[in-house]
């Protein structure tokens, strides 16, 4: 499985502390084939990368549906319940002038259809936090470079700062926060000094990273500091009145792309204030299958099979799609 590491000034990366299944039925077969270039019978392929979430207030079949795009290909949509749950959050990002993105794992395989021919069987899972945990509880420092999101790292010594952390813990018991990472040194038991990364929330010390992770991130933090930038990262706080945990979600130092060093971008866009409703433009663009949705049942499958047969084995539509797919036997 190949991971894409991309970020853009126009993208707003949503929280990824959960999984949401999307609908990938017959209406998106042609687009799924475009993403994978080609599919073989009974050999599943997997694509993993950033997908765009596009609210469709004008969807004629499911008003206020949220479509899922890879590049320009609509590969699925949220179901009715999830679209309703995420509608306010996704439209808030769009109304603020940004593009909501989330990581998607899309699986597809060609299977034999009854009566001959083939069809595409696919499924998709978005890495997406609960609606109430998509946005940070605090603002990013003005002069900070935001590390790209990555695997979780546990913050140590957080219990020493329990009173403060409980004061920012939301009633839901979980929330996203923007944390600042600062390089320092600690005296080891044998007396020599070791690099340490202090973790701060709104300038308040809330813990530290392990020695191993500190050694990896200190050069990155010092690189930004030498260029008059703090280093910030996404974090998650969760717990209850008895206990709590704090984690940092940041890309490992070895995986940080050169673009980050070149730009030292503070890419946490400022959103419109939370409100009851946001106006977003009409965005419904029918997929190939949706264009045939109103046709007679006997006609639509025939056209769809012919369309897929013409696409299978075609040239790849983008290097991005080709590089992000892996194949495994079913």
């Amino acid at each position: 499985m190949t991971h894409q590491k991309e970020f853009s000034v126009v993208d707003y990366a949503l929280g990824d502390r959960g999984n949401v299944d999307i609908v990938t039925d017959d209406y998106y077969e042609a687009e799924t084939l475009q993403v994978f270039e080609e599919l073989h019978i009974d050999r599943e392929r997997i694509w993993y990368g950033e997908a765009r979430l596009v609210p469709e207030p004008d969807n004629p079949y499911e008003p206020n549906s949220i479509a899922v795009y890879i590049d320009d290909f609509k590969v699925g949509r949220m179901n009715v319940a999830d679209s309703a749950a995420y509608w306010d959050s996704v439209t808030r990002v769009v109304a603020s002038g940004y593009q909501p993105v989330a990581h998607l794992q899309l699986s597809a395989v060609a299977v034999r259809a009854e009566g001959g021919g083939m069809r595409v069987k696919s499924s998709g899972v978005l890495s997406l936090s609960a609606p109430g945990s998509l946005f940070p509880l605090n603002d990013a420092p003005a002069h900070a470079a935001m590390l790209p999101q990555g695997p979780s790292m546990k913050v140590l010594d957080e219990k020493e700062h329990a009173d403060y952390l409980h004061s920012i813990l939301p009633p839901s018991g979980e929330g996203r926060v923007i944390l600042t990472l600062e390089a320092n040194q600690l005296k080891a038991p044998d007396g020599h000094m070791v690099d340490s990364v202090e973790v701060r929330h709104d300038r308040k010390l809330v813990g530290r990273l392990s020695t191993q992770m500190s050694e990896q991130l200190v050069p990155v933090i010092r690189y930004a500091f030498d260029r008059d930038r703090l280093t910030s990262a996404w974090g998650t706080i969760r717990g209850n009145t008895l206990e709590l945990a704090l984690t940092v979600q940041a890309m490992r130092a070895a995986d940080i792309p050169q673009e980050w060093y070149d730009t030292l971008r503070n890419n946490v866009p400022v959103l419109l204030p939370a409100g009851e409703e946001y106006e977003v433009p009409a965005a419904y663009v029918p997929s190939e299958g949706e264009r045939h949705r109103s046709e007679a049942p006997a006609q639509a499958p025939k056209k769809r099979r012919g369309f897929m047969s013409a696409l299978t084995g075609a040239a790849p539509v983008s290097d991005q799609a080709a590089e992000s797919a892996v194949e495994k036997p079913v």
Side-chain angles (χ1 to χ4, degrees):
M1 183 182 297
T2 300
H3 294 247
Q4 298 175 0
K5 302 181 179 70
E6 295 190 356
F7 47 92
S8 166
V9 292
V10 299
D11 290 348
Y12 192 102
L14 298 172
D16 61 355
R17 306 296 296 173
N19 295 321
V20 176
D21 293 328
I22 65 171
V23 178
T24 58
D25 55 21
D26 291 346
Y27 298 122
Y28 310 104
E29 288 177 307
E31 287 73 20
T32 299
L33 274 169
Q34 292 276 26
V35 168
F36 285 99
E37 177 188 352
E38 62 180 343
L39 293 171
H40 301 287
I41 295 291
D42 298 332
R43 292 194 67 85
E44 183 183 64
R45 301 188 71 193
I46 299 173
W47 184 98
Y48 183 74
E50 273 192 355
R52 294 185 293 122
L53 304 185
V54 179
E56 298 177 332
D58 55 329
N59 188 308
Y61 304 104
E62 293 182 10
N64 291 0
S65 178
I66 297 177
V68 179
Y69 278 79
I70 294 174
D71 294 334
D72 294 327
F73 304 112
K74 182 158 64 169
V75 297
R77 67 186 187 279
M78 288 188 177
N79 63 37
V80 174
D82 287 334
S83 289
Y86 285 93
W87 183 258
D88 288 347
S89 298
V90 171
T91 55
R92 180 186 179 190
V93 175
V94 173
S96 299
Y98 305 107
Q99 182 172 266
V101 297
H103 278 87
L104 170 70
Q105 179 174 305
L106 181 68
S107 305
V109 61
V111 298
R112 294 176 178 82
E114 294 183 8
M118 72 155 208
R119 67 181 182 87
V120 175
K121 182 180 179 182
S122 62
S123 62
V125 181
L126 288 167
S127 296
L128 202 59
S129 300
S133 300
L134 291 174
F135 307 122
L137 302 171
N138 61 324
D139 297 325
H143 298 287
M146 173 64 73
L147 289 173
Q149 292 188 71
S152 290
M153 295 177 274
K154 180 175 173 53
V155 175
L156 306 179
D157 297 341
E158 77 280 14
K159 292 181 180 179
E160 296 179 11
H161 312 281
D163 288 344
Y164 176 77
L165 290 173
H166 274 111
S167 74
I168 65 172
L169 182 68
S172 65
E174 181 174 331
R176 302 188 85 198
V177 289
I178 302 296
L179 300 170
T180 303
L181 308 181
E182 296 187 7
N184 208 330
Q185 286 196 320
L186 292 177
K187 181 177 289 187
D190 61 4
H192 79 281
M193 303 301 290
V194 296
D195 287 328
S196 177
V197 172
E198 295 180 345
V199 180
R200 295 178 179 269
H201 175 274
D202 291 347
R203 308 304 299 162
K204 176 72 174 178
L205 181 65
V206 292
R208 64 179 178 85
L209 297 183
S210 69
T211 300
Q212 180 182 8
M213 295 311 306
S214 293
E215 289 176 349
Q216 295 179 32
L217 285 174
V218 160
V220 178
I221 295 169
R222 287 178 176 158
Y223 177 91
F225 184 80
D226 290 342
R227 288 155 181 80
D228 299 320
R229 290 288 187 272
L230 297 172
T231 301
S232 58
W234 288 99
T236 301
I237 184 172
R238 59 171 59 88
N240 51 44
T241 55
L242 300 178
E243 59 182 2
L244 55 79
L246 184 65
T247 55
V248 172
Q249 287 84 51
M251 192 175 286
R252 299 296 189 257
D255 297 328
I256 297 174
Q258 184 60 42
E259 182 185 359
W260 185 85
Y261 294 97
D262 295 339
T263 61
L264 294 178
R265 185 179 299 147
N266 186 355
N267 59 330
V268 182
V270 178
L271 300 178
L272 292 172
E276 295 183 359
E277 186 175 350
Y278 303 94
E279 184 176 349
V280 293
Y284 176 73
V285 177
S287 65
E288 179 67 21
E290 287 171 331
R291 279 197 289 269
H292 299 309
R293 188 167 183 167
S294 60
E295 295 181 357
Q299 295 176 326
K302 184 182 297 185
K303 288 190 176 183
R304 198 159 56 244
R305 283 198 300 270
F307 186 75
M308 288 189 298
S309 297
L311 282 177
T312 303
V317 295
S318 71
D319 292 339
Q320 181 185 50
E323 292 174 358
S324 301
V326 297
E327 185 174 303
K328 66 177 182 179
V330 176

